[in-house]
Amino acid sequence: MRLSTFGLFILSLLKTSKALAPATVTWSSCPHALLPGVECATVQVPLDWADESKGMIPIALSRLPALTPQREGYMFVNPGGPGGSGTEFIQYSGYEIMSILGAGWDIISWDP
């Protein structure tokens, strides 16, 4: 699969009126990883960022960790949709994305 096949969207962080504590992410090896080194995690996020009383939902994450000891940062990517799995997108296009950004970036995606 070519990266150009998908619409690649980069997320911006939006400010909310209330600050929430950052989620702790515990990465582990993915049970069905197609690429070596891909890691998986699940985090709980608010169903509605503007109204925390509506509860939390789990979000599945996949990460292709940086290949260099000095990390440049974290790039969140998603293939768009409908129907595209972000966690599978990392499996098919993670190294291609890394070849564009550089080996110092963690490439992370999610399944809503």
Side-chain angles (χ1 to χ4, degrees):
M1 261 184 209
R2 299 275 319 149
L3 181 60
S4 59
T5 305
F6 295 99
L8 180 62
F9 296 94
I10 300 171
L11 294 180
S12 298
L13 296 177
L14 301 175
K15 290 187 176 183
T16 61
S17 59
K18 295 182 182 178
L20 297 176
T24 300
V25 180
T26 303
W27 296 101
S28 61
S29 61
C30 297
H32 305 328
L34 301 174
L35 291 177
V38 173
E39 299 173 332
C40 292
T42 302
V43 295
Q44 295 287 323
V45 299
L47 184 60
D48 183 341
W49 287 87
D51 184 358
E52 297 173 44
S53 70
K54 292 185 178 176
M56 306 288 276
I57 58 170
I59 301 285
L61 303 171
S62 281
R63 170 177 80 163
L64 180 59
L67 299 177
T68 61
Q70 180 65 35
R71 280 190 166 80
E72 298 291 326
Y74 305 92
M75 181 60 66
F76 286 83
V77 297
N78 197 278
S85 167
T87 57
E88 288 181 11
F89 182 63
I90 293 294
Q91 301 284 328
Y92 294 108
S93 301
Y95 283 112
E96 187 173 356
I97 296 167
M98 191 175 276
S99 73
I100 295 166
L101 295 175
W105 290 85
D106 281 358
I107 311 300
I108 301 172
S109 194
W110 69 99
D111 281 342

